[in-house]
Amino acid sequence: MIEKYEKIIGEDELYGLVKIAEKLKDFSILHVNSTRAGGGVAEILNRMVPLMRDLGLNVDWKVIRGDNEFFRVTKSFHNSLQNGYGELPPNAFETYEKWQEINASEIPLDYDIIMIHDPQPLGLIKFRKKGKWIFRCHIDISNPYAPVWEFLKKKIENYDSMIISTPAFARDDVNIPQFIIPPSIDPLSIKNQPIPEITVKRILYKYGIDTERPLVVQISRFDYAKDPIGVIKSFKLAKEHIDGLQLAYVGSPATDDPEGEEVYEKTVKEAGDDKDIHLLMLPPYSDLEINAFQTGASVVLQKSIKEGFGLTVSEAMWKKKVVIGGRTGGIPLQIIHGITGYLVDNIEGAAHYIIHTLKNPEISQKIGENAHEHVKNNFLITRHMREYMSVMLYVTGRNEEMKSPTLQ
């Protein structure tokens, strides 16, 4: 399967992947996260783990479990780390520790290299048996709520290294090596491969979209950080200037996000009785449908007010779409304003660039082409795997010549 990527990345890049993997073949490797489906982390692991195995690596992936109380706690951690303030459930730290112990008794931790994804399973480090541990933090920790950060930082400092998505997330109060590795998309996945126009039209028609009229799309969970209400307000402003404009906000449930239903209900209320606003909740693994919405979009939004990276930005850019994104987290790594898309800070800015994109097709076509090249050069899964494997070589000492990109 890995050979199929040669036509995209070239023979030299593929050869480099194979050579790095050869140095890791006698190690056992484990990825741990909190959900098998829903959100960017699970999506990356669903694609990356089979590719790593295809390179000959001994790789497993385990998912922790927890009850509703545990996931309410971890969601409150997530929000407080990204927003800088906290509203924690009662006995939050005790609940968190209880489920770390339960999961440590159920998940084998005797691997040579363990990569822990995000705070939900972070506390498993207390039950370390052997090997090197890497904390892969996908979220924005640049301005965290102090009580939660201090609680988690004590655990982080027992790791051998930490990976963040953008320099803005670096911490000068963590005394372990920090590596900057942005996430990625898989260009050969069902979500990102070219699909026939007739398939796009069939799927959009199924969900009530008129393919003869312009369409604004945002692909996101129903999450306050993704600002679905702001998306609707931006759309309504733009609709005053663009005849027949439609909006599709396409979400899917995540098992580790208990707030989704509450946010969905508020978004429905904001949409009101506007028949041109389509709020969709697709089941997990609806990759073909998401591809169709991104491919069929006239313009794509990712109007996040907080974001770890925002893989949907690169997905749409790969399809040569103009993406209007919030100026937060990893989105500015992907969107170079006015060159590969547009960055905005408010509802009015998003509406302005929706109108600008739709009224200037030649400029929009050029930006779409630039966007595709930017993703090809920076945000594909093959680059992502190479950098993960390089960190594994570093923490194991297998590559003695590799210099640590520790942030000073």
Side-chain angles (χ1 to χ4, degrees):
M1 185 165 65
I2 194 71
E3 288 78 12
K4 294 180 180 179
Y5 292 84
E6 182 182 345
K7 64 184 179 182
I8 298 173
I9 65 173
E11 184 178 354
D12 290 345
E13 179 72 12
L14 182 61
Y15 179 74
L17 277 175
V18 172
K19 295 304 289 184
I20 293 174
E22 286 177 355
K23 297 182 179 182
L24 292 167
K25 282 185 177 177
D26 54 349
F27 289 120
S28 57
I29 302 168
L30 176 66
H31 291 277
V32 182
N33 80 316
S34 63
T35 180
R36 188 71 64 177
V41 179
E43 182 166 341
I44 290 169
L45 291 175
N46 267 301
R47 300 298 300 181
M48 184 178 287
V49 169
L51 289 174
M52 284 185 159
R53 289 172 178 162
D54 202 41
L55 285 166
L57 300 183
N58 177 14
V59 183
D60 287 329
W61 172 20
K62 303 294 183 182
V63 176
I64 64 167
R65 68 182 184 92
D67 59 9
N68 288 337
E69 183 183 14
F70 171 70
F71 285 119
R72 278 196 295 271
V73 167
T74 58
K75 183 64 178 181
S76 73
F77 284 6
H78 180 106
N79 290 341
S80 66
L81 289 170
Q82 294 208 134
N83 298 334
Y85 56 88
E87 295 181 8
L88 305 184
N91 304 312
F93 296 148
E94 292 81 0
T95 299
Y96 180 86
E97 297 286 20
K98 179 185 78 172
W99 279 98
Q100 301 304 304
E101 184 172 359
I102 292 170
N103 281 293
S105 70
E106 297 176 352
I107 295 175
L109 300 176
D110 53 346
Y111 286 75
D112 299 313
I113 302 168
I114 295 182
M115 186 175 288
I116 299 292
H117 294 264
D118 279 338
Q120 295 94 328
L122 176 67
L124 291 176
I125 187 69
K126 178 180 178 181
F127 306 94
R128 178 179 189 161
K129 296 178 180 178
K130 57 177 281 192
K132 301 295 183 179
W133 286 54
I134 302 165
F135 176 46
R136 196 338 175 179
C137 187
H138 296 267
I139 64 175
D140 183 348
I141 53 171
S142 59
N143 182 35
Y145 178 54
V148 172
W149 174 245
E150 291 300 322
F151 174 73
L152 296 177
K153 187 179 74 168
K154 293 174 184 177
K155 303 178 189 305
I156 293 170
E157 290 187 333
N158 290 312
Y159 281 73
D160 297 287
S161 70
M162 179 168 79
I163 298 172
I164 52 180
S165 295
T166 171
F169 299 169
R171 300 291 311 181
D172 60 9
D173 59 346
V174 173
N175 296 314
I176 60 173
Q178 297 175 59
F179 297 84
I180 301 164
I181 301 180
S184 63
I185 66 165
D186 185 346
L188 298 185
S189 68
I190 293 173
K191 186 185 285 189
N192 295 310
Q193 285 183 335
I195 57 176
E197 183 180 356
I198 187 65
T199 303
V200 174
K201 289 185 174 182
R202 174 181 62 79
I203 291 172
L204 296 187
Y205 179 78
K206 173 184 174 182
Y207 289 99
I209 306 298
D210 183 348
T211 58
E212 300 301 317
R213 294 159 53 198
L215 174 65
V216 179
V217 170
Q218 177 156 317
I219 310 288
S220 290
R221 295 194 311 271
F222 286 89
D223 185 316
Y224 290 118
K226 312 300 182 184
D227 197 21
I229 292 173
V231 169
I232 290 174
K233 289 180 176 179
S234 298
F235 165 78
K236 287 180 176 179
L237 285 177
K239 190 180 178 184
E240 295 176 7
H241 302 271
I242 303 292
D243 291 339
L245 192 62
Q246 305 166 94
L247 169 67
Y249 190 106
V250 185
S252 63
T255 57
D256 61 347
D257 185 359
E259 280 184 351
E261 186 174 345
E262 172 190 317
V263 179
Y264 176 77
E265 290 174 356
K266 290 184 178 180
T267 308
V268 169
K269 184 177 180 180
E270 181 66 33
D273 58 359
D274 190 329
K275 302 299 184 184
D276 289 326
I277 298 177
H278 304 264
L279 304 177
L280 306 176
M281 185 74 80
L282 301 186
Y285 308 112
S286 298
D287 290 354
L288 181 62
E289 288 79 5
I290 291 172
N291 188 335
F293 273 99
Q294 290 173 331
T295 301
S298 308
V299 60
V300 173
L301 289 183
Q302 188 57 54
K303 201 196 160 302
S304 301
I305 52 179
K306 280 292 182 179
E307 188 65 76
F309 185 73
L311 281 176
T312 52
V313 173
S314 280
E315 290 167 4
M317 289 169 65
W318 180 249
K319 300 174 182 72
K320 300 184 178 181
K321 298 298 173 179
V322 174
V323 182
I324 301 165
R327 197 188 309 268
T328 185
I331 293 177
L333 280 181
Q334 302 167 82
I335 297 178
I336 304 169
H337 184 70
I339 299 174
T340 67
Y342 299 109
L343 294 171
V344 297
D345 301 294
N346 51 47
I347 290 165
E348 292 78 13
H352 167 77
Y353 282 111
I354 292 170
I355 298 164
H356 176 78
T357 298
L358 295 175
K359 291 194 172 184
N360 295 276
E362 292 185 3
I363 296 174
S364 299
Q365 182 180 354
K366 179 60 177 176
I367 286 179
E369 292 168 356
N370 293 342
H372 176 84
E373 285 301 307
H374 188 52
V375 172
K376 180 179 178 181
N377 294 333
N378 296 284
F379 304 117
L380 297 186
I381 197 168
T382 44
R383 184 274 309 161
H384 197 177
M385 281 198 302
R386 172 168 47 79
E387 293 180 350
Y388 270 8
M389 291 190 295
S390 295
V391 172
M392 293 175 187
L393 288 175
Y394 173 78
V395 297
T396 58
R398 184 56 59 95
N399 190 343
E400 295 180 356
E401 296 180 357
M402 181 179 174
K403 301 296 183 182
S404 166
T406 306
L407 297 166
Q408 301 299 326

